[in-house]
Amino acid sequence: MSTTGAIAHLTVKSPDQMQELGRRLAPLLRPGDLVLLTGELGAGKTTLTRGLGEGLGVRGAVTSPTFVIARVHPSLTGGPALVHVDAYRLGGGLDEMEDLDLDVSLPESVVVVEWGEGKVEELSEDRLHVVIGRAVGSDGPAGAPESEVDEVDDVREVTVTGFGARWADAGLPALETC
């Protein structure tokens, strides 16, 4: 069982801030990193991944790979490729994921798996787990204008947890500032 290396807790108030979090997280990533994203539908997993893609300097628009299961975005800057996986439709664990050859892609890429919790942890003892949840009380005040309720509904609580020695001193707590 992997041990926790570091944790960062953030409040993200908009989709733009979620994308910016991805851009800020990208410089901490390197080839071989596995990133698991957990959150309900519409939580911001793909938006975060879009920011990661921008920060990594990869080719192609980062969109949800729900129907294709996985997309590879090659680097335009000589860095690692981004392999973006959506495991939502895959019910099994690592056995069902084997056809995607993630174990082959992992050493030279950053692999991001939406809905990967409980399915791909065995790929690497060193991994990053990002949990995105709606902020408590995000329904907005009673009688508030719809625009204020929409703004409150965009608020997310994000926990970024590094597992394994790789993440012990990787700078995750710095994500909490800014």
Side-chain angles (χ1 to χ4, degrees):
M1 180 78 183
S2 298
T3 59
T4 302
I7 297 176
H9 299 282
L10 303 98
T11 298
V12 176
K13 297 181 180 179
S14 70
D16 288 341
Q17 284 187 1
M18 186 67 75
Q19 196 162 335
E20 177 60 26
L21 174 59
R23 284 190 290 269
R24 289 180 32 227
L25 182 58
L28 302 180
L29 299 174
R30 62 185 187 207
D33 282 341
L34 174 65
V35 182
L36 282 76
L37 303 181
T38 301
E40 62 190 35
L41 285 169
K45 298 178 296 294
T46 300
T47 301
L48 177 73
T49 306
R50 191 172 298 122
L52 288 173
E54 289 174 9
L56 291 170
V58 300
R59 185 179 72 210
V62 175
T63 59
S64 179
T66 299
F67 298 104
V68 295
I69 310 298
R71 276 198 177 92
V72 178
H73 298 274
S75 176
L76 296 171
T77 63
L82 172 66
V83 178
H84 185 197
V85 179
D86 187 329
Y88 183 74
R89 295 178 178 274
L90 304 177
L94 195 55
D95 290 340
E96 192 170 341
M97 302 286 284
E98 274 186 5
D99 290 339
L100 299 177
D101 289 331
L102 294 180
D103 55 336
V104 173
S105 301
L106 188 59
E108 65 270 353
S109 305
V110 170
V111 177
V112 176
V113 184
E114 296 186 25
W115 304 98
E117 186 175 17
K119 297 177 182 175
V120 297
E121 288 91 339
E122 295 174 34
L123 285 173
S124 178
E125 286 189 25
D126 294 313
R127 64 187 176 278
L128 200 59
H129 190 178
V130 180
V131 178
I132 305 168
R134 292 196 188 279
V136 176
S138 63
D139 293 336
E146 189 172 324
S147 62
E148 285 182 26
V149 172
D150 288 345
E151 288 176 18
V152 172
D153 192 45
D154 284 342
V155 177
R156 303 288 189 263
E157 296 297 333
V158 180
T159 303
V160 182
T161 307
F163 290 90
R166 152 77 176 97
W167 294 102
D169 297 315
L172 291 180
L175 293 172
E176 294 178 347
T177 60
C178 291

